[in-house]
């Protein structure tokens, strides 16, 4: 973990000094040059299944083992992903062919699987598990050839070549289970240009496998661990009967081919963008949504808001030569009236009547004072009743309930926002590519810890603005509320994963290390930022808050909080739901996600749309004379998280084949964390946009 911390800032500095590059993907590791017959190590990563969501170590199944098992030192991201990289007995030499080689064969005897081992292998095959190997840090892939023109002649059919991550452990047919016990490795190399007197060097640029199932009787092995494969399709597959012992050979072959692909482009095979048009459609759709929302917002701001401000200011500018105003209050069992002696108009001095609470009718208010002498037009004609958002100017900045919790959640939202922005931007530059295994998750964890200083600063300043005084308790709440919920849910899920003996379970030392990072890095930084934020001058609100809260009129049905969440969440979700499909596929179906350029654009669109819809919703709320906007705006701005939850349920039902309890629990547990984080992110974006908007509009009107 110390090496990851040292690598990140230096790599950022070095990359900033590099010249501009036009490549979408920048390789994350240095190339390895091989000479003829140099060993190319084949390593195993893990076994995965989209049906169970539980990864397992390679040697959790009875595969052939080398004389000494050596595990690779892994970074934090690899451990959290469930990777357990280990050596294998495959002997592969650079540019050296092998027709058929037998693994773990002693005196030409086949491997015998016990009843328990046979049952375990059969269970993993029925659960649709894949085996993941790597050679020179390149993951193994299975070539799939699909025909695009099915209705045309065979000669006109076009092959659409796709690659599947890893290879299937086996397959089932007519209630029988078969194991892929023979692997045909196909490795591609690129010959580097060298001078005449130097030996040629090679670089591995692709790693493919063709898994086969060949029964014991069709494989002929000799004492030198060599074997002969059956010709054509005469062989039968190797069946695994879970009710008895099974005998079989584990064999492999190696074939090398020269390729024109250079080392820097070797990941293009795995990351072929066959769905670029879909992504561009997503971007265009999102831009249209944002422009549509911008048009609505502009109409509200330009036509309605400016008209309101002009009317309010015109009303105050009618008079000149103001007397020092004084307030007269008349109480009645039916209403409360407030009178302000204002100014001298062209018709002389008069009293202006305005209703304050309890549904005062201006005509009735004026009738009380009809017997009082005054010159100029009648009081009833001159009276103008204020309406709209200006009426709540004395309460709009009234601190809400639970200001400490609100500021803590917003501080965690700032942490998430800074972390996600930096991670997506750095990944877009290619520095967190799939070749840097586990780097994305490692960087995200460390960045969230270090962004605690910004989260604490924003939370501390907002807490002071909301008249808070217990800054130490507020800092502790900011540092522990959201991370504590995340850690608690992950710990409970980890206990279930431990019970399944899965490699996805976080080891106890790693969990202790995460706790040390939390309380040793994040907590002090949050306290530091909170201290300076609390000492800084609070946000300057343009109007003062009345001592007595204003009564809130009865609200219409569409001003209900849940209705607001539904209305506010649909547009931001519509701007990013297509990209959400690819993110879910990468997480739950073990796919590579590499389109960080598209993701960065979608993230910017999401920020803009959340800000705009938040401004619209808070404007409608204030026009309804409801000044309790703090918590409501935070909840409503995160409304798109509700649609993410609905989409996650839809994805679970229609895309995944999960039927067991623990995989379902893992899916919905991690989905709950995603929804919670997304709600914090979008709620924070919308809250600060609405706060800036409210301060701007009340600073633009003249308040008596």
């Amino acid at each position: 973990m110390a090496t990851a911390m040292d690598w990140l800032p230096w790599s950022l500095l070095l990359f900033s000094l590099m010249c501009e590059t036009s490549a979408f993907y920048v390789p994350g590791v240095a190339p390895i040059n091989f000479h003829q017959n140099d060993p190319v190590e084949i390593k195993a990563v893990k076994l995965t299944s989209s049906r169970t969501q539980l990864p397992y170590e390679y040697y959790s199944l009875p595969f052939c083992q080398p004389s000494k098992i050596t595990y690779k030192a892994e970074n934090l991201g690899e451990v959290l992903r469930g990777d357990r990289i280990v050596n294998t007995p495959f002997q592969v030499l650079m540019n050296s062919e092998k027709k058929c080689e037998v693994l773990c064969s002693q005196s030409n005897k086949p491997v015998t699987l016990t009843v328990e081992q046979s049952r375990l292998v059969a269970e993993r095959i029925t659960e649709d598990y894949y085996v993941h190997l790597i050679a020179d840090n390149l993951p193994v892939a299975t070539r799939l050839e699909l025909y695009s023109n099915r209705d045309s002649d065979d000669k006109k059919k076009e092959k659409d070549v796709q690659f599947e991550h890893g290879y299937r452990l086996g397959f089932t047919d007519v209630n029988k289970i078969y194991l892929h016990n023979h692997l045909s490795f196909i490795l591609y190399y690129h010959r580097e240009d060298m001078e005449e007197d130097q030996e040629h060097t090679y670089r591995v640029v692709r790693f493919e496998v063709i898994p086969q199932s060949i029964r014991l009787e069709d494989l002929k092995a000799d004492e030198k661990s060599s074997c002969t494969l059956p010709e054509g399709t005469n062989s039968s597959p190797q069946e695994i009967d879970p009710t008895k012992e099974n005998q079989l050979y584990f064999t492999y072959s190696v074939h090398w081919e020269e390729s024109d692909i250079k080392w820097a482009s070797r990941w293009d095979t795995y990351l072929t963008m066959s769905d670029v048009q879909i992504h561009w459609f997503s971007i265009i759709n999102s831009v249209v949504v944002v422009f549509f929302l911008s048009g609505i917002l502009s109409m509200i701001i330009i036509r309605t808001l400016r008209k309101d401000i002009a009317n309010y200011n015109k009303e105050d500018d009618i008079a000149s030569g103001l007397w020092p105003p004084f307030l007269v209050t008349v109480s009645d069992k039916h209403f409360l009236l407030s009178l302000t002696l204002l100014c001298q108009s062209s018709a002389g001095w008069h009293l202006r009547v305005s209703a304050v609470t309890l549904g005062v009718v201006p005509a009735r208010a004026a009738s009380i004072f009809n017997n009082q002498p005054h010159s100029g037009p009648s009081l009833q004609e001159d009276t103008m009743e204020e309406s709209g958002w200006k009426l709540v100017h004395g309460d709009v900045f009234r601190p809400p309930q639970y200001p400490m919790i609100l500021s803590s959640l917003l501080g965690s939202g700032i942490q998430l926002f800074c972390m996600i922005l930096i991670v997506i931007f750095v990944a877009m530059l290619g520095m967190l590519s799939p070749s840097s295994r586990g780097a994305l998750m490692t960087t995200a964890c460390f960045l969230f810890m270090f962004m605690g200083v910004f989260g604490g600063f924003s939370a501390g300043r907002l807490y002071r603005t909301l008249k808070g005084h217990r800054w130490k308790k507020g800092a502790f709440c900011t540092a522990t509320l959201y991370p504590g919920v995340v850690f608690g849910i992950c710990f409970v899920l980890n206990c279930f994963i431990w019970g399944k003996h899965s490699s996805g379970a976080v080891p106890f030392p790693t969990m202790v290390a995460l706790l040390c990072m939390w309380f040793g890095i994040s907590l002090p930084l949050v306290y530091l930022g909170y201290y300076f934020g609390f000492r800084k001058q609070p946000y300057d609100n343009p109007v003062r808050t009345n001592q007595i809260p204003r009564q809130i009129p009865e609200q219409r049905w569409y001003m209900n909080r849940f209705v607001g969440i539904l209305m506010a969440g649909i547009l931001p979700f519509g701007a990013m739901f297509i990209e959400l499909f690819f993110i879910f596929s990468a997480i739950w179906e073990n796919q590579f996600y590499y389109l960080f350029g598209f993701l960065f654009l979608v993230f910017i669109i999401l920020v803009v749309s959340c800000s705009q819809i938040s401004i619209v919703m808070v404007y409608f709320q204030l026009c309804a004379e409801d000044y309790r906007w703090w918590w409501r705006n935070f909840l409503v701005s995160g409304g798109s998280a509700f649609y993410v939850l609905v989409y996650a349920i839809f994805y679970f039902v229609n895309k995944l084949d999960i039927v067991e309890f623990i995989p379902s629990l893992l899916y919905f547990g991690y989905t709950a964390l995603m929804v919670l984080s997304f709600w914090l992110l979008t709620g924070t974006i919308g809250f600060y946009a609405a706060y800036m908007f409210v301060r701007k509009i009340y600073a633009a009107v003249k308040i008596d």
Side-chain angles (χ1 to χ4, degrees):
M1 286 185 291
T3 57
M5 292 175 60
D6 295 335
W7 170 84
L8 179 61
W10 284 109
S11 60
L12 289 172
L13 177 62
L14 290 174
F15 192 85
S16 64
L17 300 176
M18 289 172 59
C19 60
E20 183 180 358
T21 177
S22 59
F24 179 81
Y25 163 71
V26 179
V29 293
I32 298 178
N33 295 322
F34 296 92
H35 296 285
Q36 181 72 30
N37 294 327
D38 279 354
V40 179
E41 191 172 9
I42 306 294
K43 296 182 179 180
V45 181
K46 58 183 175 181
L47 310 172
T48 63
S49 170
S50 60
R51 295 184 59 184
T52 66
Q53 301 298 327
L54 291 170
Y56 287 96
E57 293 186 28
Y58 180 72
Y59 290 124
S60 63
L61 293 181
F63 292 118
C64 294
Q65 300 181 2
S67 57
K68 181 181 180 181
I69 297 178
T70 305
Y71 285 91
K72 170 186 171 292
E74 296 157 337
N75 57 41
L76 178 62
E78 290 176 316
V79 174
L80 296 179
R81 282 161 39 98
D83 295 353
R84 300 294 183 268
I85 302 177
V86 65
N87 60 329
T88 61
F90 298 108
Q91 301 293 326
V92 178
L93 304 179
M94 171 56 69
N95 203 17
S96 177
E97 302 275 335
K98 282 188 177 181
K99 291 186 177 181
C100 186
E101 189 91 6
V102 180
L103 290 173
C104 55
S105 175
Q106 298 178 354
S107 302
N108 198 19
K109 292 183 179 180
V111 177
T112 301
L113 301 182
T114 63
V115 176
E116 183 178 354
Q117 291 175 335
S118 301
R119 187 184 301 113
L120 181 61
V121 171
E123 181 182 350
R124 295 287 183 265
I125 293 175
T126 55
E127 290 174 341
D128 200 18
Y129 267 85
Y130 283 73
V131 183
H132 299 277
L133 307 174
I134 56 173
D136 189 27
N137 204 35
L138 268 182
V140 70
T142 305
R143 178 191 291 262
L144 300 177
E145 296 182 350
L146 306 176
Y147 292 95
S148 57
N149 300 327
R150 295 183 176 180
D151 297 333
S152 59
D153 298 336
D154 293 341
K155 296 181 180 180
K156 296 182 180 180
K157 287 184 178 180
E158 297 180 0
K159 291 183 179 181
D160 183 16
V161 179
Q162 296 181 2
F163 291 92
E164 195 173 47
H165 191 85
Y167 71 89
R168 291 178 181 270
L169 178 62
F171 61 95
T172 59
D173 185 22
V174 196
N175 296 326
K176 291 186 177 181
I177 302 171
Y178 303 97
L179 173 68
H180 285 142
N181 60 326
H182 178 79
L183 302 179
S184 298
F185 294 131
I186 304 176
L187 293 100
Y188 295 78
Y189 65 87
H190 179 75
R191 191 193 303 266
E192 297 298 311
D193 296 331
M194 305 294 292
E195 297 181 1
E196 295 182 358
D197 57 341
Q198 292 183 347
E199 185 180 359
H200 284 289
T201 58
Y202 308 89
R203 292 177 179 176
V204 180
V205 295
R206 189 186 297 178
F207 183 26
E208 296 179 16
V209 65
I210 301 177
Q212 295 175 269
S213 181
I214 305 175
R215 66 177 181 177
L216 176 67
E217 293 77 11
D218 295 333
L219 279 172
K220 299 178 181 179
D222 56 24
E223 296 179 355
K224 298 181 180 180
S225 296
S226 297
C227 56
T228 304
L229 296 176
E231 297 181 358
T233 58
N234 298 327
S235 64
S236 300
Q238 174 64 53
E239 182 182 355
I240 300 295
D241 190 345
T243 61
K244 65 179 184 180
E245 293 184 349
N246 293 271
Q247 289 189 332
L248 71 157
Y249 282 120
F250 285 105
T251 59
Y252 71 101
S253 60
V254 180
H255 175 64
W256 288 90
E257 291 187 15
E258 187 172 1
S259 174
D260 295 330
I261 301 174
K262 294 186 177 181
W263 186 89
S265 304
R266 64 178 189 163
W267 276 84
D268 293 350
T269 302
Y270 304 88
L271 310 180
T272 302
M273 293 190 292
S274 59
D275 42 27
V276 175
Q277 293 181 350
I278 298 177
H279 279 84
W280 278 119
F281 172 77
S282 171
I283 298 296
I284 295 173
N285 171 68
S286 303
V287 170
V288 169
V289 169
V290 170
F291 274 118
F292 175 72
L293 190 58
S294 301
I296 297 177
L297 184 63
S298 300
M299 182 182 65
I300 293 174
I301 298 301
I302 295 175
R303 300 183 59 184
T304 310
L305 191 59
R306 285 188 177 180
K307 183 179 178 181
D308 291 345
I309 295 174
N311 289 339
Y312 294 150
N313 292 338
K314 181 179 179 181
E315 181 184 341
D316 293 328
D317 291 339
I318 291 177
S320 59
L322 248 245
W323 275 11
F326 62 90
L327 189 66
V328 181
T329 303
V330 180
S331 297
D332 186 272
K333 64 180 181 180
H334 298 295
F335 60 90
L336 180 67
L337 187 64
S338 174
L339 296 179
T340 306
L341 184 60
L342 281 180
C343 54
Q344 184 182 22
S345 67
S346 58
W349 296 101
H350 64 278
L351 288 173
R352 175 177 153 204
V353 184
S354 62
V356 178
T357 55
L358 301 183
V360 175
V361 180
R364 181 180 181 186
S367 65
I368 297 177
F369 298 94
N370 278 341
N371 295 329
Q372 297 185 10
H374 69 281
S375 59
S378 66
L379 186 61
Q380 292 169 324
E381 296 176 0
D382 192 69
T383 299
M384 294 180 60
E385 182 183 7
E386 292 180 356
S387 62
W389 50 268
K390 187 184 177 184
L391 284 178
V392 296
H393 67 83
D395 299 275
V396 69
F397 294 108
R398 186 178 303 281
Q401 290 183 319
Y402 314 112
M404 183 183 295
I405 298 178
L406 178 63
S407 59
S408 299
L409 292 175
L410 290 169
S412 298
I414 292 293
Q415 267 186 276
L416 277 174
F417 177 81
C418 296
M419 181 266 288
I420 293 174
L421 180 64
I422 296 175
V423 166
I424 294 177
F425 182 75
V426 173
M428 181 184 66
L429 301 179
M431 299 176 65
L432 299 177
S433 64
S435 64
S436 303
R437 198 176 305 275
L440 181 68
M441 191 169 293
T442 303
T443 305
C445 290
F446 278 98
L447 273 177
F448 183 80
M449 302 294 175
F450 287 111
M451 291 301 107
V453 65
F454 298 105
F457 181 85
S458 60
R461 190 178 183 189
L462 181 64
Y463 183 58
R464 184 176 180 183
T465 304
L466 299 179
K467 313 300 182 184
H469 301 288
R470 297 176 294 177
W471 73 270
K472 294 181 180 179
K473 186 176 180 181
F476 183 79
C477 185
T478 304
T480 56
L481 183 58
Y482 169 70
V485 172
V486 173
F487 184 83
I489 294 177
C490 290
F491 181 79
V492 172
L493 295 178
N494 203 55
C495 292
F496 286 97
I497 301 175
W498 267 334
K500 284 288 189 177
H501 306 287
S502 168
S503 65
V506 179
F508 184 75
T510 305
M511 193 169 294
V512 173
L514 288 173
L515 285 174
C516 292
M517 290 170 56
W518 180 10
F519 290 102
I521 300 177
S522 180
L523 185 68
L525 288 178
V526 170
Y527 264 91
L528 180 66
Y530 209 98
Y531 172 75
F532 285 103
F534 192 78
R535 291 190 60 186
K536 191 174 177 60
Q537 187 72 18
Y539 293 110
D540 185 21
N541 296 327
V543 292
R544 287 179 291 185
T545 303
N546 295 336
Q547 293 184 355
I548 301 176
R550 175 186 174 86
Q551 182 176 354
I552 299 174
E554 185 178 354
Q555 300 294 303
R556 300 294 185 95
W557 65 269
Y558 52 81
M559 295 303 297
N560 181 272
R561 186 172 298 174
F562 184 71
V563 176
I565 289 175
L566 294 179
M567 292 193 301
I570 186 66
L571 288 177
F573 176 76
M576 48 82 68
F577 81 97
I578 295 180
E579 201 67 28
L580 194 65
F581 168 77
F582 295 98
I583 296 176
F584 270 63
S585 298
I587 295 175
W588 303 115
E589 298 187 37
N590 301 303
Q591 303 292 327
F592 287 119
Y593 187 84
Y594 56 95
L595 302 172
F596 292 102
F598 289 106
L599 186 61
F600 184 76
L601 293 176
V602 170
F603 182 73
I604 297 300
I605 293 172
L606 178 67
V607 171
V608 174
S609 59
C610 281
S611 303
Q612 292 177 339
I613 199 67
S614 174
I615 292 173
V616 172
M617 297 303 294
V618 77
Y619 176 77
F620 287 157
Q621 182 179 353
L622 294 179
C623 286
E625 302 179 21
D626 185 0
Y627 55 83
R628 299 171 303 183
W629 63 274
W630 302 89
W631 274 106
R632 187 179 190 275
N633 187 261
F634 181 52
L635 295 172
V636 167
S637 299
S640 52
F642 172 76
Y643 290 96
V644 173
L645 176 61
V646 173
Y647 180 80
I649 297 174
F650 168 81
Y651 191 89
F652 178 83
V653 173
N654 291 276
K655 299 294 182 179
L656 297 180
D657 189 19
I658 298 178
V659 293
E660 297 183 8
F661 170 72
I662 291 183
S664 302
L665 181 67
L666 293 178
Y667 179 86
F668 286 105
Y670 290 128
T671 298
L673 290 180
M674 293 171 56
V675 171
L676 173 64
S677 303
F678 193 74
W679 168 65
L680 276 181
L681 174 68
T682 53
T684 302
I685 294 170
F687 175 86
Y688 278 101
Y691 190 30
M692 293 174 60
F693 170 75
V694 172
R695 291 171 61 196
K696 286 289 184 182
I697 63 173
Y698 282 97
V701 296
K702 298 177 181 179
I703 305 298
D704 294 338

